[in-house]
Amino acid sequence: MYQTVGHQIVVCYAKCMGLPLFRRRISGSTRDHALKYSVTAGDEVEDMFALLSEVKRRIPSIGAVSSGAIASDYQRLRVESVCSRLGLVSLAYMWRQDQTLLLEEMIRRGIVAITVKVAAMGLKPSVHLGKELAELKSHLLQMNESFGINVCGEGGEYETLTLDCPLFRNARIVLDDFEVILHSADSIASVGILHPLAFHVEPKPGSSSSIGDGAIAEENSSCLYEVNGAIAHTDGETKQTLNPTPTSDAYPDTNVCISKTGKTLFSIGCWIEEPSSASQGMKADLVKVLSRIENQLKDGGLSWANVLYVHLYISSMKEFGLANEVYVSFITEKKCHLGVPSRSTIELPLVQAGLGNAYVEVLVSNDLVKRVLHVQSISCWAPSCIGPYSQATLYGEILYMAGQLGLDPPTMKLCLGGATAQLDLALRNSEAVANAFKSSIFSSAIHFLVYCSAHLTSTEKEAVEQKLQNSYIAHLDSARSGSYPTILYVLAPDLPKGACVEIKPTLYVPTDGYNDNDDDGDITREPEAGGSKPSSSKVPSEWSAQYSGLHDSCCLANTVAGKICSAVVSVTNDIASKICPSTEHLHPSKEHLKAIARFCAFQLAKTLTDNSFTWDDVTMLRFYYSVERAVAADVVSRAFSEAFAELGAADGSLRIDGAPVFNLIPVSGSGRSASMDDVVTCELLASKA
């Protein structure tokens, strides 16, 4: 199976493959009991580190380690920790696969493994030790039905010794003698161990080499390596630990701008407002932006550990590698002890808009309470995240998922078939991540952001929208969610790996037990009785008279459980012509831009008021505008700043002093449909603490 996903297998069985066997006696014990492992002297994980360090020293070409982790985060995270320290890739192709199907496949493929330890209800040492998995299959399935045991022994129910498998090309192992040791005579779940005392190697029919005692001794003497001695750190590990964070002091001052929404949960955006001729390149711009955000966090008594999500916008996907190097020098696993933020990266026309080469938006919480899913192992489950960015972050009852591409998980390559095939696979990958939180994109989605590559033709973009309709929207469980998620399309010059499509779902994962596995209840509920209703947002009276009639035609909102609100306001050419009754909306003047900005501000204020939210509840607010309309970023910024200043004068709950409460995002196009031809599109997410 592994050879089909591009890896050459190196196994440490001296006689079976003629390759070296490395072994080390475990001297440590379990010292670090936390789920996420930290380097701890005397822990048994350090024995694995020492063993693999020696393997890598003697066989430098080794680049990956394969483990049999299926469902244990504890085990997977320890293997990933060691691999990360040694610069190796963790392979876990059985991760989160159905254990019944795995057991059947192992038996079908000729893996002969016997139980050498049993430690679970329904497994008796006197009866079940030394049995082959094929013999135990029906009993294990029955015990799964009765007691919920893991049929593959993933919970420590049993351990096995493999005597034969397809990888053993020339011989199989035959046990000649063994003893059974009763470790615990518990009446409910006895623990017994089978201890081999003698064995021999038996040639397989048609094997190419002779098997004899002399040959075995010769092989053992030349291919067996005992790894002993103290545990030493590698040069590579030291370099990773000492990698310094660059500072903006190395670069001349530039106009670095900042934005901030909300209070307890909020977004910080940072960009450079300067002509492209003044830019010093990607590295300098990103260092300045990340340094400014870092200082902003420190000023509030926060750190990168408080960051839940990162939107990384860069001017050229060709410099993704350089941008990633800068990123990982600021945001590391060491700085984020609860888990690294989830991330989405796309290319934007930043230089064309006069915004330098890097733009970063982070979602921040004041408290350190989050659940992070960060699987670095390559598997068949979902695309791995090798580096300091995770698949998803759960904060409160909102799951923020990293951008998903149409990547084939075991190969980490884009699937064939173009945009629609990539979208279909990206949906499946997103569902796999959602399932890890006992949720589903089909019943729990709040908002769906779809990035499309500007390389797509009009026909391909239409096909993407139709595919989303057929494969996703048509299958939404609206009876359970109470409403449909808001959907926004954004046209980007380029996406990671040259992908056609990238999707970013945001899900509702309630803490009170309501999820897609429940058989009762609707996740949309009214606020609890007795709670104080927030004061309504106020807007200038002339705005209401002018814009109220257009609300339903341009605004979509989704409110979940009275606690979360997502909204998309779409200012199409038709809407713009009604706001600005002239042809100038195609190339809007400053006054027309201000009118459009007022319209957007009004629609958002009305949406918040209609759904009993305030501006303090807003956690994210973006305005996407097309650079194709040849309007400078500073002109757009002033128009929206002035509109929000007018709104703030009428509504005391809207903070208008200091940094703006919104981010302006230059794009190649945006909208509620895949045509993405809006003049401006607004994206809002609000959440009550």
Side-chain angles (χ1 to χ4, degrees):
M1 179 175 67
Y2 301 136
Q3 289 174 333
T4 65
V5 292
H7 301 287
Q8 180 181 357
I9 307 166
V10 176
V11 293
C12 296
Y13 285 101
K15 185 61 221 171
C16 300
M17 294 285 286
L19 293 170
L21 169 65
F22 295 83
R23 64 185 184 186
R24 176 186 175 90
R25 184 175 294 276
I26 297 176
S27 59
S29 58
T30 304
R31 300 283 183 90
D32 184 353
H33 294 272
L35 179 62
K36 186 177 180 181
Y37 179 73
S38 299
V39 178
T40 304
D43 194 282
E44 60 188 355
V45 174
E46 297 308 302
D47 288 297
M48 177 168 60
F49 175 80
L51 179 65
L52 290 176
S53 294
E54 181 63 13
V55 172
K56 188 177 180 183
R57 187 182 73 83
R58 290 186 176 269
I59 312 177
S61 61
I62 283 182
V65 173
S66 181
S67 67
I70 302 173
S72 171
D73 285 306
Y74 184 90
Q75 179 190 88
R76 174 184 59 79
L77 287 168
R78 276 150 178 75
V79 175
E80 289 178 353
S81 173
V82 171
C83 286
S84 177
R85 292 160 62 189
L86 292 172
L88 298 170
V89 174
S90 172
L91 306 177
Y93 288 110
M94 293 190 290
W95 180 249
R96 288 194 172 272
Q97 293 204 39
D98 184 281
Q99 292 191 41
T100 299
L101 297 179
L102 277 177
L103 179 63
E104 292 173 347
E105 184 179 2
M106 285 187 283
I107 295 170
R108 179 174 58 83
R109 287 179 177 269
I111 295 177
V112 179
I114 62 170
T115 52
V116 292
K117 179 182 178 180
V118 293
M121 186 182 298
L123 294 177
K124 299 179 180 180
S126 59
V127 177
H128 301 112
L129 275 175
K131 299 291 186 182
E132 292 184 14
L133 289 181
E135 298 177 77
L136 287 177
K137 175 187 168 184
S138 60
H139 182 70
L140 290 172
L141 294 175
Q142 182 182 344
M143 292 302 98
N144 174 260
E145 283 287 324
S146 301
F147 307 120
I149 74 167
N150 295 281
V151 296
C152 285
E154 183 70 357
E157 293 88 346
Y158 65 88
E159 306 288 347
T160 60
L161 171 65
T162 299
L163 302 180
D164 192 13
C165 72
L167 290 177
F168 295 4
R169 296 177 180 175
N170 298 319
R172 56 177 169 262
I173 302 169
V174 178
L175 284 187
D176 298 318
D177 192 15
F178 59 84
E179 63 176 339
V180 173
I181 302 172
L182 191 61
H183 187 270
S184 170
D186 187 272
S187 59
I188 298 177
S190 299
V191 178
I193 299 171
L194 183 149
H195 182 212
L197 297 176
F199 71 94
H200 70 276
V201 177
E202 184 176 279
K204 286 188 174 184
S207 61
S208 58
S209 60
S210 61
I211 304 294
D213 293 340
I216 293 174
E218 182 180 351
E219 289 282 358
N220 284 341
S221 63
S222 61
C223 296
L224 176 61
Y225 296 95
E226 295 285 356
V227 181
N228 300 310
I231 298 168
H233 293 285
T234 65
D235 292 339
E237 186 186 22
T238 304
K239 289 177 182 177
Q240 289 180 11
T241 304
L242 299 178
N243 188 25
T245 301
T247 65
S248 58
D249 296 339
Y251 306 99
D253 291 337
T254 50
N255 188 15
V256 181
C257 304
I258 202 90
S259 68
K260 184 176 181 293
T261 66
K263 288 186 175 180
T264 303
L265 179 64
F266 55 92
S267 295
I268 298 175
C270 191
W271 63 95
I272 295 172
E273 198 168 87
E274 61 181 8
S276 58
S277 59
S279 173
Q280 295 178 289
M282 168 70 71
K283 181 176 181 179
D285 288 356
L286 187 54
V287 166
K288 285 180 282 191
V289 166
L290 290 174
S291 295
R292 179 64 186 275
I293 292 177
E294 189 169 69
N295 291 333
Q296 186 81 7
L297 291 170
K298 289 179 180 177
D299 290 344
L302 307 174
S303 69
W304 290 112
N306 295 88
V307 175
L308 309 176
Y309 202 98
V310 178
H311 280 88
L312 177 60
Y313 305 128
I314 56 178
S315 61
S316 173
M317 200 53 69
K318 294 178 181 178
E319 295 191 280
F320 175 83
L322 178 59
N324 214 39
E325 287 179 17
V326 176
Y327 182 91
V328 301
S329 66
F330 280 87
I331 303 175
T332 65
E333 292 192 48
K334 187 175 182 179
K335 293 178 181 178
C336 305
H337 63 282
L338 293 179
V340 290
S342 303
R343 191 180 83 178
S344 173
T345 304
I346 64 169
E347 178 182 318
L348 289 181
L350 299 175
V351 174
Q352 189 175 345
L355 297 178
N357 290 277
Y359 188 140
V360 176
E361 181 185 335
V362 296
L363 181 65
V364 186
S365 65
N366 279 329
D367 53 358
L368 288 171
V369 181
K370 62 180 178 180
R371 178 186 164 195
V372 175
L373 177 65
H374 185 199
V375 179
Q376 299 185 68
S377 300
I378 294 178
S379 69
C380 297
W381 163 70
S384 64
C385 288
I386 303 174
Y389 34 92
S390 56
Q391 280 89 354
T393 300
L394 178 65
Y395 177 82
E397 295 183 315
I398 302 181
L399 183 65
Y400 303 93
M401 296 178 63
Q404 283 287 354
L405 305 176
L407 292 174
D408 177 45
T411 63
M412 291 298 289
K413 294 180 180 179
L414 287 171
C415 67
L416 302 176
T420 54
Q422 289 181 26
L423 174 60
D424 192 58
L425 185 51
L427 287 169
R428 297 205 302 270
N429 291 337
S430 297
E431 179 67 359
V433 174
N435 291 166
F437 291 85
K438 298 182 179 179
S439 186
S440 170
I441 64 172
F442 295 97
S443 62
S444 305
I446 303 166
H447 179 60
F448 227 84
L449 179 56
V450 182
Y451 293 117
C452 295
S453 169
H455 300 297
L456 298 182
T457 65
S458 297
T459 301
E460 288 172 325
K461 286 184 283 188
E462 290 173 4
V464 166
E465 184 174 6
Q466 190 61 47
K467 183 67 175 179
L468 190 69
Q469 173 66 41
N470 295 338
S471 297
Y472 178 64
I473 298 174
H475 298 279
L476 287 174
D477 191 356
S478 61
R480 299 192 59 77
S481 64
S483 60
Y484 288 108
T486 49
I487 295 177
L488 171 64
Y489 292 87
V490 171
L491 192 63
D494 202 2
L495 298 173
K497 296 180 179 287
C500 299
V501 178
E502 177 180 334
I503 62 174
K504 192 178 82 66
T506 303
L507 307 186
Y508 173 56
V509 182
T511 57
D512 57 5
Y514 286 83
N515 55 52
D516 62 308
N517 294 322
D518 293 328
D519 293 324
D520 55 344
D522 189 304
I523 69 169
T524 300
R525 299 184 292 279
E526 295 299 319
E528 295 181 8
S532 59
K533 187 176 180 179
S535 58
S536 298
S537 297
K538 300 178 180 64
V539 296
S541 57
E542 63 271 19
W543 290 15
S544 298
Q546 186 176 359
Y547 302 138
S548 290
L550 298 174
H551 181 76
D552 293 339
S553 62
C554 71
C555 184
L556 283 181
N558 177 28
T559 303
V560 181
K563 299 183 264 187
I564 304 163
C565 178
S566 67
V568 173
V569 178
S570 176
V571 183
T572 62
N573 288 322
D574 181 58
I575 293 293
S577 67
K578 294 175 182 178
I579 302 169
C580 321
S582 73
T583 58
E584 289 192 39
H585 65 273
L586 299 175
H587 298 284
S589 64
K590 293 181 181 179
E591 285 304 312
H592 285 89
L593 265 178
K594 191 172 180 180
I596 291 173
R598 285 172 176 161
F599 175 80
C600 293
F602 168 79
Q603 300 299 342
L604 294 171
K606 179 172 172 52
T607 298
L608 292 172
T609 298
D610 290 350
N611 294 284
S612 300
F613 287 82
T614 70
W615 286 104
D616 282 342
D617 299 321
V618 174
T619 62
M620 178 274 294
L621 177 56
R622 302 189 191 105
F623 295 105
Y624 298 91
Y625 68 97
S626 173
V627 295
E628 303 302 321
R629 298 183 186 272
V631 181
D634 59 335
V635 175
V636 179
S637 179
R638 279 196 297 272
F640 277 88
S641 295
E642 290 173 10
F644 272 80
E646 289 182 51
L647 180 61
D651 183 357
S653 69
L654 174 60
R655 172 183 56 81
I656 57 174
D657 58 317
V661 297
F662 55 82
N663 286 315
L664 292 172
I665 313 294
V667 293
S668 299
S670 61
R672 280 164 32 192
S673 72
S675 61
M676 294 173 278
D677 55 2
D678 281 6
V679 179
V680 172
T681 313
C682 317
E683 181 186 22
L684 175 143
L685 185 65
S687 173
K688 295 178 181 177

